[in-house]
């Protein structure tokens, strides 16, 4: 497994990370616990070291699931990236974000216990709390680094100004943000800012939540509670338009002897050695499909052909429901 550094001050991690959100909460359909654990272990066996979670995924379920999957593994053989701050209700509703310093310490204490570890490798607020200066939130994480409970500070879905302010308090290892062939707003201002400051990028949503995986079709409906049922890109005429883009990618993938999923993961990885794509695989089958993307070499001609098939801004519909777009660091 190849490795990449997350920024100039961050850790060396596998070039492909595993995003564990889909293993809890039913946000992309009902997961299977046994298969989820087997998938985490298969990823580790394949050399994946970076595992991304959030303390609010299933209200702690995801962290406890990972603790079970990681039991017996040497702690220095993997890195845990943990998001915090998203508020949940007993009905699974969302209630904003809490970035107060006291809350940071509280969230961390619970995560360490649920994960069964003495430190978190990268700790990050899930979203910006508009009522708390980012300097205060990052300052609290810095205190936890000084105390030995955290190794690095990360950010998630914030804009370029917030990145600069946070980085002035403590070096930021990476920004986690959606980045894929159909979500490229990060290229305008955020990615240049990261590179200026020596900050890495961990890209989630590299398959567009399955939309550009090659496995979605117009007849497929989302399960009850599936986040995609509320997402404009999966609705009506937007879906038909976006699936036509996938058909164009199929032809490129076929010429490369790859699947569409492998092609689009390889495209993200090819955008720079400072970018680590996260595969949100919930099953060993999907993980096994994602891993060969690391060996897919895209030439300049390949990248140009992919660009012609799916130009920047080609997708229709927002990547999140309209009401949620204001909480994101970049647009589509």
């Amino acid at each position: 497994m190849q490795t990449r550094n997350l920024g100039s001050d961050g850790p060396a991690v596998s070039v492909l990370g595993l995003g564990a959100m889909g293993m809890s909460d039913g946000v992309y359909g009902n997961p299977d616990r046994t298969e989820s654990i087997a998938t985490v272990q298969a990823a580790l066996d394949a050399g994946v070291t970076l595992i991304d979670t959030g303390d609010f995924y299933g209200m702690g379920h995801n962290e406890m699931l990972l603790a079970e999957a990681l039991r017996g593994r040497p702690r220095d053989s993997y890195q845990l990236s943990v998001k915090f701050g998203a508020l949940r209700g007993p009905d699974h509703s969302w209630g904003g974000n809490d970035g107060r310093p006291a809350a940071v310490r509280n969230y961390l204490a619970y995560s360490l216990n649920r994960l069964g570890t003495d430190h978190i490798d990268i700790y990050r607020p899930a979203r910006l709390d508009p009522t708390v200066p980012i300097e205060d939130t990052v300052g609290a994480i810095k205190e936890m680094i000084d105390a030995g409970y955290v190794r690095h500070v990360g950010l998630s879905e914030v804009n370029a100004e917030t990145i600069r302010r946070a980085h002035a308090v403590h070096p930021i290892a990476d920004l986690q943000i959606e980045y894929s062939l159909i979500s490229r707003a990060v290229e305008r201002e955020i990615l240049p800012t990261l590179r200026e400051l020596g900050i890495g990028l961990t890209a989630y949503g590299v398959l567009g939540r399955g939309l550009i995986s090659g496995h979605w079709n117009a007849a497929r409906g989302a399960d009850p509670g599936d986040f995609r049922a509320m997402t404009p890109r999966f609705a009506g005429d937007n879906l038909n338009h976006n699936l036509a883009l996938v058909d164009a990618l199929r032809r490129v993938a076929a010429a490369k002897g790859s699947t569409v999923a492998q092609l689009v993961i390889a495209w993200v990885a090819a955008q720079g050695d400072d970018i680590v794509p996260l595969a949100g695989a919930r099953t060993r089958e999907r993980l096994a499909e994602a891993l060969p993307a690391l060996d897919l070499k895209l030439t300049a001609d390949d990248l140009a052909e992919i660009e012609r098939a799916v130009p920047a801004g080609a997708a229709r519909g927002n990547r999140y429901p309209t009401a949620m777009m204001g909480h994101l660091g970049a647009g589509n």
Side-chain angles (χ1 to χ4, degrees), residues 24-35:
S24 301
D25 234 356
V27 68
Y28 295 132
N30 295 322
D32 178 272
R33 181 181 182 84
T34 300
E35 181 61 24

Side-chain angles (χ1 to χ4, degrees), residues 48-306:
V48 173
T49 67
L50 180 63
I51 302 175
D52 180 75
T53 184
D55 62 11
F56 51 92
Y57 292 170
M59 286 69 75
H61 173 276
N62 202 247
E63 291 180 321
M64 292 186 288
L65 179 83
L66 289 176
E68 184 175 346
L70 296 168
R71 190 169 297 130
R73 301 272 178 168
R75 183 61 182 87
D76 61 358
S77 67
Y78 59 87
Q79 298 95 18
L80 289 169
S81 165
V82 179
K83 293 183 289 297
F84 68 87
L87 302 175
R88 305 294 300 273
D91 60 352
H92 292 203
S93 61
W94 298 88
N97 298 279
D98 189 351
R100 294 172 301 132
V104 172
R105 294 186 286 271
N106 179 78
Y107 289 131
L108 177 60
Y110 279 77
S111 285
L112 291 170
N113 186 63
R114 283 190 293 256
L115 287 163
T117 185
D118 62 357
H119 71 277
I120 303 297
D121 297 282
I122 311 169
Y123 202 50
R124 69 184 82 242
R127 295 290 186 271
L128 183 67
D129 181 346
T131 69
V132 178
I134 190 63
E135 290 87 350
D136 292 354
T137 304
V138 172
I141 302 174
K142 179 183 183 300
E143 291 179 3
M144 296 298 94
I145 291 175
D146 293 341
Y149 297 117
V150 173
R151 297 291 185 265
H152 304 279
V153 182
L155 297 172
S156 176
E157 283 286 357
V158 294
N159 61 27
E161 178 191 1
T162 302
I163 294 167
R164 292 184 184 280
R165 289 169 54 194
H167 193 67
V169 176
H170 188 276
I172 304 300
D174 71 316
L175 170 72
Q176 187 176 119
I177 198 164
E178 187 166 356
Y179 187 30
S180 73
L181 264 173
I182 59 172
S183 296
R184 297 176 60 178
V186 66
E187 294 174 347
R188 292 194 291 268
E189 184 179 9
I190 291 176
L191 188 53
T193 300
L194 296 178
R195 286 175 170 161
E196 174 193 338
L197 299 176
I199 299 171
L201 187 153
T202 46
Y204 76 88
V206 293
L207 299 180
R209 297 179 176 81
L211 181 58
I212 56 172
S213 67
H215 300 296
W216 201 271
N217 59 67
R220 177 179 172 181
D223 295 333
D226 191 319
F227 176 77
R228 290 169 290 198
M230 303 180 293
T231 306
R233 285 183 176 171
F234 286 83
D237 291 339
N238 287 346
L239 176 61
N240 293 328
H241 169 85
N242 294 333
L243 288 177
L245 300 177
V246 179
D247 287 338
L249 288 174
R250 288 186 201 281
R251 294 188 286 273
V252 182
K256 294 293 293 182
S258 74
T259 68
V260 174
Q262 290 163 357
L263 184 75
V264 297
I265 293 171
W267 180 89
V268 173
Q271 301 312 299
D273 290 341
D274 50 355
I275 297 173
V276 174
L278 298 173
R282 293 188 295 149
T283 66
R284 285 169 288 181
E285 179 183 7
R286 289 291 178 255
L287 174 68
E289 180 182 17
L291 288 170
L294 305 179
D295 298 320
L296 186 60
K297 306 303 180 186
L298 299 179
T299 67
D301 288 343
D302 293 332
L303 293 170
E305 188 172 2
I306 293 169

